[in-house]
Amino acid sequence: MALVCAIAVVATTYVMATRKARDDIGEASERQLQIIALDLESVLQKFETLPFALGFQSDVLQALARPDDQLNIQRLNLTLQLIQRQSKVVAIYVLDRQGMTLASSNWDTPTTFVGRDFGFRPYFREAIKGNAGRFYGIGNATNVPGYFIAQPIYASAAAHGANAAIGVMAVKIDLTEFEHTWRSSEEPITLVDSSGVVFLSNRQAWKYHSLYPLPGAVQQNLTGTHQYADQAITPVTSLPKTQRVEFGQHVTRGIGRLGWQLMLFPSQARIARIALLWSLAAALLLAIAGISLWALYQRRRRLEERLMSAEYLDRTIAQRTQELMVANHTLETKYAKLKETEHLLRSTQNKLIQAGKLAMLGQMAAGIAHELNQPLAAIRAFADNAMTFLSRGQADKATENLSHISNASARMGKIVGQLNGFSRKSHEAVAVIDLPKSIEAAALLLHNEFQTHGAALLIEIRQAAQVVGDSVRTEQVLINLLRNALDAVDNAEQKIVSLVLECEAGEAVIRIRDSGSGIPAQVAPHLFEPFFTTKPSGKGLGLGLAISSSIVQAMNGRLTANNHGDGGAEFVLRIPLPDMVES
């Protein structure tokens, strides 16, 4: 019963919505037709008096009186052409009493009316009788459709009547502009003549077809006047179904003085769509009401079930709570173990880094001892010389030797200071690092090793840069990379290591390139793995690049290696600049 009632409500809604939509669309179509009709009638009436007024031109009367006066005919052609261009009509022309065109505004075109006989046209026959002639048809000369208005020409203002007319003045107006305007409308709009033939429409397939089959007399009349260029006029219903699907119910409004009918065909699909939407809305409301009732019914059942199973639910909740507490305790235990493991890993990493530094210090010990031995020997020699000069009373030379002693001591202090700074254990103090100074410090610590190996270290600071990180660890990375480069050029013909500092795309970029043999293809994938080394046993643990990579990653940077196109290996260190880190 509920389903039957619902179907009845939806069906009633569809019928009522269809009726309402048809009435509303019909009223809207009436208003639209009224606007179109006013626009069309204003154009038709605009030129009603033009042929009548032109008929009193002196050149017109002289041309009808003396049609063989070619000079006057030509002057009249030019006058009509000028008026036609100013008034924006299709053509203006003068016919004698027999319907022969004496002068025309299109006298200089291939389709000129001059010399053509239009005596068969209805507008001429009406005008020569003394009445206003009106007609719509396809041009006999131009094959272009238009609306013709004709008025009799009288010899004087006092003359009147059929016998008094000495000629006819005709004007042709183009109405096809309305078709372009109507194309913006979704519904078909047509203008039909008194015979029921469509001659203007925004549906091109309907043009020059009739609303219904035409009687034989009407067909003969159309043939006699050549109104539609002798086209066979067939009903719109004879067109293919796809072209006549919109032909049907319509609203009509009379236009002009020739019994024309302006028709608009409201979209039946639109009416059906509106009705369907209303029906769907009604069905949706019924569905919502049914679902709501069903939900209320189900809610009552659920309440009853809950009351019956309250005790069971309490036991279940208590059990689940206990399980959650146990799981929570287990998670806390695991989290504590993970934190402990993380602390152990960090401690191990720091120890590995410190061990790597100490190993490096051991490798640099001999060079640094040699580096300190030279200033010590110089200090001793300068001190002996100073004592000698003082005993001789040569205070100026003694002062010069003491100055040399001071410079040598400063150099030793600088070396020892860099060594102490590098050897101390880092406390992960994050600060702003001046990269040129870090590069200078690393180069100073390795200066003696480069001299010992006969290698050249070329440093080019293209752009000064500052980054955020641990200065001690940054120097350790630079020393690791420079020592690797020094080892790579040990057997090369030219022992050159170059370091370039510049900025690219918000990053500080350090490129360390050597003139060695490059990185073998089988080594490249494992280059940054811990304990992987290509050096002989006892010359390295394989931790330098792994530790360096982890330090750089902790600074949000990256360390990469590749073979340079001109030979040798190139390590590229990229660290974000401070503004990029903040963003």
Side-chain angles (χ1 to χ4, degrees):
M1 288 297 294
L3 182 61
V4 170
C5 291
I7 293 174
V9 170
V10 172
T12 304
T13 302
Y14 183 85
V15 173
M16 294 178 64
T18 301
R19 187 178 305 166
K20 182 69 168 57
R22 185 178 292 111
D23 294 341
D24 292 343
I25 292 176
E27 291 177 2
S29 300
E30 289 283 357
R31 291 192 295 270
Q32 186 178 357
L33 274 186
Q34 184 179 6
I35 295 172
I36 296 173
L38 290 174
D39 191 18
L40 184 57
E41 286 179 344
S42 67
V43 173
L44 298 179
Q45 293 175 4
K46 179 179 178 181
F47 300 101
E48 277 290 327
T49 59
L50 179 61
F52 185 80
L54 292 176
F56 290 98
Q57 295 286 328
S58 59
D59 290 342
V60 175
L61 299 175
Q62 187 175 350
L64 290 171
R66 288 184 294 174
D68 54 346
D69 186 352
Q70 294 300 319
L71 183 61
N72 180 64
I73 293 293
Q74 181 60 22
R75 186 167 57 249
L76 180 57
N77 283 334
L78 294 174
T79 301
L80 295 178
Q81 187 178 57
L82 179 61
I83 296 172
Q84 175 264 327
R85 290 175 179 174
Q86 292 295 323
S87 60
K88 301 293 190 298
V89 297
V90 178
I92 305 174
Y93 50 104
V94 180
L95 301 94
D96 61 14
R97 286 188 59 83
Q98 286 72 39
M100 187 65 66
T101 306
L102 300 179
S104 174
S105 60
N106 63 356
W107 61 274
D108 57 347
T109 63
T111 58
T112 177
F113 293 170
V114 176
R116 291 184 177 272
D117 182 8
F118 295 113
F120 62 91
R121 289 294 200 184
Y123 65 84
F124 172 78
R125 293 200 296 266
E126 284 295 322
I128 204 65
K129 294 177 184 178
N131 302 320
R134 301 175 185 86
F135 180 73
Y136 186 91
I138 298 176
N140 192 41
T142 62
N143 204 34
V144 175
Y147 177 61
F148 299 86
I149 303 175
Q151 291 285 354
I153 300 174
Y154 300 107
S156 65
H160 190 269
N163 295 329
I166 61 174
V168 171
M169 177 68 70
V171 175
K172 182 179 180 181
I173 305 169
D174 183 15
L175 299 182
T176 56
E177 186 65 29
F178 286 97
E179 288 185 336
H180 303 307
T181 305
W182 297 347
R183 285 174 188 169
S184 62
S185 174
E186 295 182 358
E187 291 85 4
I189 302 174
T190 61
L191 191 58
V192 183
D193 65 11
S194 59
S195 301
V197 179
V198 177
F199 62 89
L200 282 181
S201 177
N202 59 354
R203 297 296 185 268
Q204 289 298 312
W206 294 9
K207 285 185 66 173
Y208 308 123
H209 288 79
S210 60
L211 301 178
Y212 42 79
L214 299 180
V218 175
Q219 291 277 16
Q220 290 179 2
N221 182 52
L222 294 176
T223 303
T225 60
H226 305 287
Q227 184 172 359
Y228 299 116
D230 298 333
Q231 296 185 59
I233 307 299
T234 58
V236 176
T237 53
S238 65
L239 293 172
K241 186 176 181 180
T242 56
Q243 296 180 352
R244 58 181 169 86
V245 65
E246 298 174 299
F247 185 77
Q249 294 185 1
H250 56 271
V251 291
T252 307
R253 188 179 183 88
I255 293 292
R257 304 181 182 181
L258 295 177
W260 293 351
Q261 295 292 321
L262 184 63
M263 296 182 176
L264 187 145
F265 296 77
S267 174
Q268 300 302 311
R270 183 181 171 192
I271 295 173
R273 186 165 58 251
I274 293 174
L276 181 60
L277 289 174
W278 277 99
S279 301
L280 289 175
L284 182 60
L285 289 175
L286 290 173
I288 292 173
I291 292 171
S292 299
L293 292 173
W294 178 256
L296 289 173
Y297 172 72
Q298 290 294 323
R299 185 172 180 274
R300 287 187 60 186
R301 290 192 59 185
R302 294 295 177 270
L303 289 174
E304 293 174 357
E305 291 175 357
R306 286 177 183 176
L307 290 174
M308 293 174 61
S309 59
E311 184 179 352
Y312 172 76
L313 288 175
D314 289 340
R315 289 199 306 269
T316 304
I317 291 171
Q319 181 181 355
R320 295 291 185 268
T321 303
Q322 182 64 27
E323 292 175 355
L324 286 174
M325 291 176 65
V326 173
N328 188 36
H329 178 72
T330 304
L331 287 175
E332 288 179 354
T333 304
K334 290 182 178 179
Y335 178 73
K337 290 182 179 179
L338 286 174
K339 292 290 288 184
E340 183 180 351
T341 304
E342 181 185 7
H343 178 72
L344 179 61
L345 285 174
R346 286 185 178 275
S347 176
T348 304
Q349 184 186 33
N350 291 333
K351 289 178 180 179
L352 283 174
I353 291 173
Q354 186 67 15
K357 290 200 297 183
L358 293 176
M360 223 180 300
L361 283 172
Q363 294 175 0
M364 293 187 295
I368 292 173
H370 177 73
E371 191 73 16
L372 293 176
N373 190 44
Q374 289 180 344
L376 284 173
I379 288 172
R380 181 176 180 182
F382 285 135
D384 292 341
N385 291 338
M387 292 175 62
T388 303
F389 286 136
L390 287 173
S391 64
R392 294 177 181 177
Q394 298 177 337
D396 53 344
K397 291 188 177 182
T399 301
E400 182 180 352
N401 277 265
L402 291 174
S403 176
H404 288 311
I405 292 172
S406 177
N407 292 335
S409 299
R411 174 170 175 77
M412 291 174 63
K414 190 173 183 180
I415 294 173
V416 172
Q418 293 292 339
L419 188 61
N420 288 335
F422 179 75
S423 61
R424 73 178 181 269
K425 187 173 182 180
S426 172
H427 296 286
E428 301 183 9
V430 177
V432 176
I433 304 171
D434 189 355
L435 287 181
K437 290 184 178 179
S438 297
I439 293 171
E440 181 184 358
L444 181 62
L445 290 175
L446 295 175
H447 175 72
N448 186 66
E449 289 194 44
F450 271 86
Q451 283 189 337
T452 302
H453 288 79
L457 176 58
L458 307 179
I459 298 177
E460 181 181 358
I461 307 297
R462 296 180 181 175
Q463 291 174 274
Q466 292 182 334
V467 297
V468 176
D470 188 328
S471 60
V472 176
R473 291 189 174 184
T474 304
E475 291 177 15
Q476 182 179 356
V477 172
L478 293 173
I479 291 173
N480 274 337
L481 297 178
L482 289 173
R483 282 191 58 81
N484 284 345
L486 181 60
D487 292 340
V489 301
D490 197 23
N491 297 321
E493 294 182 4
Q494 291 185 342
K495 301 180 180 182
I496 299 174
V497 176
S498 63
L499 185 150
V500 178
L501 170 62
E502 58 187 348
C503 296
E504 292 180 357
E507 293 179 326
V509 182
I510 299 176
R511 304 180 189 275
I512 298 177
R513 179 186 166 197
D514 61 62
S515 59
S517 58
I519 304 171
Q522 67 274 16
V523 172
H526 310 285
L527 201 59
F528 297 100
E529 293 180 2
F531 303 105
F532 178 82
T533 180
T534 58
K535 297 178 182 179
S537 177
K539 293 240 176 156
L541 299 176
L543 291 174
L545 288 178
I547 293 173
S548 298
S549 179
S550 65
I551 292 173
V552 173
Q553 289 177 10
M555 298 171 68
N556 296 320
R558 58 189 185 279
L559 177 63
T560 58
N562 59 278
N563 288 322
H564 197 274
D566 296 333
E570 182 181 51
F571 284 79
V572 182
L573 174 61
R574 297 178 181 271
I575 304 174
L577 296 173
D579 55 343
M580 299 302 294
V581 172
E582 291 173 2
S583 62

